[in-house]
Amino acid sequence: MPIRTLEFGVTGLLELIPEPLHAALERVERTVQYGDGELIQRRGDDTRGLSIVRRGTVRFGTVGSDGEERTLIILGSGHVFGELTCFADLPRTFDARAFGPTVIGQVDKADVDPLVRQHPEFAVALLQTLSTKLHGALGFIEDLRRLDVIVHVAKLLSTMAKTDKVGVSLEVTQASLAETLGITRAPVAQALATLEEEGLLRRGYGRVEVPDVAALRAWVDERLVVPVIA
């Protein structure tokens, strides 16, 4: 299961807007059901509008030079995508596929504009969700540039864990971690082995056990501190 997700610690659009706006959205949106793996949008599509994940999960990715599709991020129920098509007149940025049975509420740009004008709180909520995505993307780029693989793997695992102190079992494979980081499996396997030697996790078949999430986060935080050079 790919783990680069905005669900952890991030509030979705539907949780940010007041009840009257929920009704207003439902009046103008068109719901579409997708089966597991079904294409929702293709990179470069010029469909203008918002896409709201009403149920299920959406995987976003690109196709590499080897023809393999690589997952970059996933969005869960309550989240939205397509903002840039409405406010920057840009095409869809990534391929998107349903991850399990998924229902999407499609809202055309012609219906988005009046909602934004009539309900300033809707515009604020959209700005908040878009800013959160930008923050996450910039942080991910920074991590790729400056963190060792072992620290990056540990940070992703600690992000995937939704708790602070209780041990958790994460359904994740070496392949999905490597796919998320854009590297081969070998360095990921080595990183996991090192973290296991440190007592920070235990590897299992298709999963990683983290006995103490707080300890893993503390280990990561120690290595994120920028040294001061006098």
Side-chain angles (χ1 to χ4, degrees), residues 112-162:
V112 172
D113 292 343
L115 284 173
V116 169
R117 289 195 300 269
Q118 296 166 16
H119 303 275
E121 64 273 28
F122 185 47
V124 172
L126 285 171
L127 182 60
Q128 183 175 339
T129 60
L130 190 56
S131 298
T132 301
K133 292 177 188 177
L134 177 60
H135 179 269
L138 291 175
F140 190 57
I141 292 171
E142 181 184 16
D143 288 349
L144 286 175
R145 295 183 62 182
R146 70 186 181 91
L147 296 184
D148 292 338
V149 171
I150 183 174
V151 180
H152 203 172
V153 169
K155 185 177 179 182
L156 284 174
L157 291 173
S158 68
T159 300
M160 188 178 182
K162 298 181 182 181

Side-chain angles (χ1 to χ4, degrees), residues 111-222:
D111 293 311
V112 172
D113 292 343
L115 284 173
V116 169
R117 289 195 300 269
Q118 296 166 16
H119 303 275
E121 64 273 28
F122 185 47
V124 172
L126 285 171
L127 182 60
Q128 183 175 339
T129 60
L130 190 56
S131 298
T132 301
K133 292 177 188 177
L134 177 60
H135 179 269
L138 291 175
F140 190 57
I141 292 171
E142 181 184 16
D143 288 349
L144 286 175
R145 295 183 62 182
R146 70 186 181 91
L147 296 184
D148 292 338
V149 171
I150 183 174
V151 180
H152 203 172
V153 169
K155 185 177 179 182
L156 284 174
L157 291 173
S158 68
T159 300
M160 188 178 182
K162 298 181 182 181
T163 182
D164 286 328
K165 297 180 180 179
V166 182
V168 295
S169 177
L170 306 176
E171 294 184 5
V172 62
T173 65
Q174 291 182 14
S176 64
L177 283 169
E179 178 182 289
T180 301
L181 294 174
I183 58 179
T184 61
R185 296 187 192 183
V188 171
Q190 184 175 357
L192 291 173
T194 301
L195 291 169
E196 188 169 35
E197 290 173 3
E198 295 271 350
L200 295 169
L201 58 81
R202 293 188 295 270
R203 291 175 292 172
Y205 182 75
R207 66 179 55 251
V208 172
E209 307 283 343
V210 182
D212 189 335
V213 178
L216 179 62
R217 289 201 174 122
W219 185 92
V220 172
D221 289 342
E222 288 178 2

Side-chain angles (χ1 to χ4, degrees), residues 12-26:
L13 174 72
L14 296 184
E15 295 181 62
L16 294 172
I17 61 176
E19 190 59 37
L21 258 175
H22 282 270
L25 277 174
E26 290 172 0

